[in-house]
Amino acid sequence: DHAWCEQKAATNAITIITQNPERTELVDDLLTIVREELDHFEQVHQLIKNRGKVLGSERKDPYVGELFKFMRRGIDRNTSFIDRLLFSAMIEARSCERFRVLSENIEDKKLAGFYRDLMISEAGHYTLFLKYAKEYSENVNVDERWKEWLEYEATIIAKYGKNETVHG
C-alpha cells in the first residue's frame, strides 16, 4: 500500500504540472516532489524485496477517493487548481502524521529512521502545496476553504477503522 501511495503522489504532482505548465516556479518545485516521491517508491520497493516479498497489485485508496470527490471542478480554472493543491496538501499532511506515528512506534530502528525521514519530506510537500494555494489563489479564500477540507475529511475519517493502509 505504501509503495503505491508514493507512486500516486508522483503521478498527482505530474498531473498538476501538465495542467499548469506556465507556472514555472510551481513546475520546478513539483518536479522535485516527483523525483522525491519516485525515490520513496523505489525505497519502499527495495524494502519489500529485502523482506522476500513482491510489490503486488495496486489497491484503491478509499480515503483518497472520498477526498477526490470533494474537489471542485468545472467552476473555473483557478478554483479547480486551488482545490487540487488543497487535496494534495491534505494527503501529504496525513501521510506526514502517519509516518511520525510509525517512526515512533516501530521497534526496528532502521525502519523507524526511514519513516522519520519520510515524515520530514511529506511535511515539506504539505507546506509547499499550501503555499502555492495561497500564492496562486485569485478568487478563493484559501484559509476558509482549507477549513472546509478539514471538516469534510473529518467525516471521512469517522468511517474508517484500522486497515493496514497508509491512509486507512
Side-chain angles (χ1 to χ4, degrees):
D1 179 68
H2 179 186
W4 289 117
C5 287
E6 298 293 353
Q7 180 273 327
K8 290 174 198 170
T11 300
N12 180 60
I14 291 168
T15 298
I16 295 170
I17 290 168
T18 59
Q19 293 173 348
N20 299 276
E22 74 283 3
R23 301 179 194 273
T24 304
E25 184 183 5
L26 173 80
V27 170
D28 288 343
D29 285 341
L30 291 188
L31 284 170
T32 299
I33 287 178
V34 169
R35 285 188 290 274
E36 288 176 7
E37 298 292 11
L38 286 175
D39 182 55
H40 298 163
F41 177 83
E42 183 178 21
Q43 289 177 51
V44 174
H45 186 237
Q46 189 61 49
L47 286 169
I48 291 167
K49 292 188 314 183
N50 290 349
R51 286 171 166 69
K53 307 285 183 185
V54 295
L55 181 60
S57 300
E58 174 188 7
R59 292 188 276 179
K60 296 289 182 192
D61 187 328
Y63 167 83
V64 173
E66 289 293 321
L67 281 181
F68 190 81
K69 291 177 188 177
F70 193 64
M71 272 195 294
R72 296 184 291 192
R73 294 177 287 280
I75 297 172
D76 63 69
R77 186 171 186 258
N78 186 256
T79 298
S80 298
F81 172 54
I82 298 307
D83 258 28
R84 184 63 177 236
L85 293 172
L86 295 177
F87 163 81
S88 304
M90 179 68 69
I91 294 169
E92 296 289 343
R94 296 304 176 242
S95 296
C96 175
E97 291 172 351
R98 283 154 178 84
F99 293 148
R100 180 185 56 81
V101 170
L102 285 168
S103 73
E104 293 172 354
N105 291 284
I106 290 179
E107 292 180 19
D108 179 325
K109 297 298 181 198
K110 184 176 179 181
L111 198 53
F114 171 70
Y115 281 116
R116 178 163 171 64
D117 291 345
L118 289 181
M119 173 196 71
I120 293 165
S121 178
E122 302 298 311
H125 300 171
Y126 151 68
T127 56
L128 187 74
F129 283 119
L130 278 180
K131 171 195 151 204
Y132 279 119
K134 290 178 180 182
E135 181 177 325
Y136 288 124
S137 179
E138 297 167 3
N139 57 352
V140 177
N141 180 324
V142 172
D143 292 329
E144 185 177 301
R145 184 63 178 153
W146 182 244
K147 184 178 176 192
E148 292 170 1
W149 272 95
L150 291 170
E151 290 168 357
Y152 178 76
E153 188 218 19
T155 68
I156 296 170
I157 290 174
K159 298 177 189 177
Y160 290 98
K162 296 182 180 182
N163 294 334
E164 294 177 348
T165 60
V166 173
H167 296 116

Coordinates of all heavy atoms in Angstrom, one line a residue, residues 70 86 90 130 141-154:
F70 N -14.5 15.6 -3.2 CA -14.8 16.9 -2.6 C -14.2 18.1 -3.4 O -14.5 19.2 -3.3 CB -14.2 17.0 -1.2 CG -14.6 18.2 -0.4 CD1 -16.0 18.4 -0.1 CD2 -13.7 19.1 0.1 CE1 -16.4 19.5 0.7 CE2 -14.1 20.2 0.8 CZ -15.5 20.4 1.1
L86 N -5.1 21.9 -2.5 CA -5.5 21.6 -1.2 C -5.7 20.1 -1.0 O -5.4 19.6 0.1 CB -6.8 22.4 -0.8 CG -6.6 23.9 -0.8 CD1 -7.9 24.6 -0.5 CD2 -5.5 24.3 0.3
M90 N -3.6 18.0 1.8 CA -4.3 17.1 2.8 C -3.7 15.8 2.8 O -3.4 15.2 3.9 CB -5.8 17.0 2.5 CG -6.6 16.2 3.4 SD -6.7 16.9 5.1 CE -7.8 18.2 4.7
L130 N 0.3 24.1 0.2 CA -0.5 25.1 0.9 C 0.1 26.5 0.5 O -0.7 27.4 0.2 CB -0.5 25.0 2.4 CG -1.4 24.0 3.0 CD1 -1.3 24.0 4.5 CD2 -2.9 24.4 2.6
N141 N -10.8 32.0 -0.9 CA -10.3 32.3 0.4 C -9.7 30.9 0.9 O -10.4 30.0 1.3 CB -11.4 32.8 1.4 CG -10.8 33.0 2.8 OD1 -9.9 32.3 3.3 ND2 -11.4 34.0 3.4
V142 N -8.4 30.8 0.8 CA -7.7 29.5 1.0 C -7.9 29.1 2.4 O -8.1 27.9 2.7 CB -6.2 29.6 0.6 CG1 -5.5 28.3 1.0 CG2 -6.1 29.8 -1.0
D143 N -7.7 30.0 3.4 CA -7.9 29.6 4.8 C -9.3 29.0 5.1 O -9.4 28.0 5.7 CB -7.6 30.7 5.7 CG -6.1 31.1 5.7 OD1 -5.2 30.2 5.5 OD2 -5.8 32.3 5.9
E144 N -10.3 29.7 4.5 CA -11.7 29.2 4.7 C -11.9 27.9 4.0 O -12.5 27.0 4.5 CB -12.6 30.3 4.1 CG -14.1 30.0 4.3 CD -15.0 31.1 3.8 OE1 -14.8 32.2 4.3 OE2 -15.8 30.8 2.9
R145 N -11.4 27.8 2.8 CA -11.5 26.5 2.0 C -10.8 25.4 2.7 O -11.3 24.2 2.7 CB -11.1 26.7 0.6 CG -11.3 25.5 -0.3 CD -12.8 25.1 -0.5 NE -12.9 24.0 -1.4 CZ -13.9 23.1 -1.3 NH1 -14.9 23.3 -0.5 NH2 -13.9 22.1 -2.1
W146 N -9.6 25.7 3.3 CA -8.9 24.6 4.0 C -9.7 24.1 5.2 O -9.7 22.9 5.4 CB -7.5 25.2 4.4 CG -6.6 24.2 5.1 CD1 -6.2 24.2 6.4 CD2 -6.1 23.0 4.6 NE1 -5.4 23.1 6.7 CE2 -5.3 22.3 5.6 CE3 -6.1 22.4 3.3 CZ2 -4.6 21.1 5.4 CZ3 -5.5 21.2 3.1 CH2 -4.7 20.6 4.2
K147 N -10.3 25.0 5.9 CA -11.2 24.6 7.0 C -12.3 23.7 6.5 O -12.6 22.7 7.1 CB -11.8 25.9 7.7 CG -12.6 25.6 8.9 CD -13.1 26.8 9.5 CE -14.1 26.4 10.7 NZ -14.8 27.5 11.2
E148 N -12.9 24.0 5.3 CA -13.9 23.2 4.8 C -13.3 21.8 4.4 O -14.0 20.8 4.7 CB -14.5 23.8 3.5 CG -15.3 25.0 3.8 CD -15.7 25.8 2.5 OE1 -15.3 25.3 1.4 OE2 -16.3 26.8 2.6
W149 N -12.1 21.7 3.9 CA -11.5 20.5 3.6 C -11.3 19.7 4.9 O -11.5 18.5 4.9 CB -10.1 20.7 3.0 CG -10.2 20.8 1.5 CD1 -10.3 21.9 0.7 CD2 -10.2 19.7 0.5 NE1 -10.3 21.6 -0.6 CE2 -10.3 20.3 -0.8 CE3 -10.1 18.3 0.7 CZ2 -10.3 19.5 -1.9 CZ3 -10.2 17.6 -0.5 CH2 -10.2 18.1 -1.7
L150 N -10.9 20.3 6.0 CA -10.6 19.6 7.2 C -12.0 19.1 7.8 O -12.0 17.9 8.3 CB -10.0 20.6 8.3 CG -8.6 21.0 8.0 CD1 -8.1 22.1 8.9 CD2 -7.6 19.8 8.1
E151 N -13.0 19.9 7.7 CA -14.3 19.4 8.2 C -14.8 18.2 7.3 O -15.4 17.2 7.9 CB -15.3 20.5 8.1 CG -15.0 21.6 9.2 CD -15.8 22.9 9.0 OE1 -16.6 23.0 8.0 OE2 -15.7 23.8 9.8
Y152 N -14.7 18.3 6.0 CA -15.1 17.2 5.2 C -14.3 15.9 5.5 O -14.8 14.8 5.6 CB -14.9 17.6 3.7 CG -15.3 16.4 2.8 CD1 -16.6 16.1 2.6 CD2 -14.3 15.7 2.1 CE1 -17.0 15.1 1.7 CE2 -14.7 14.7 1.3 CZ -16.0 14.3 1.1 OH -16.3 13.3 0.2
E153 N -13.0 16.1 5.6 CA -12.1 15.0 5.9 C -12.5 14.3 7.2 O -12.4 13.1 7.3 CB -10.6 15.4 6.0 CG -9.7 14.2 6.0 CD -8.5 14.4 6.9 OE1 -8.5 15.4 7.8 OE2 -7.5 13.7 6.8
A154 N -12.9 15.1 8.2 CA -13.3 14.5 9.5 C -14.5 13.5 9.3 O -14.5 12.5 10.0 CB -13.7 15.6 10.5

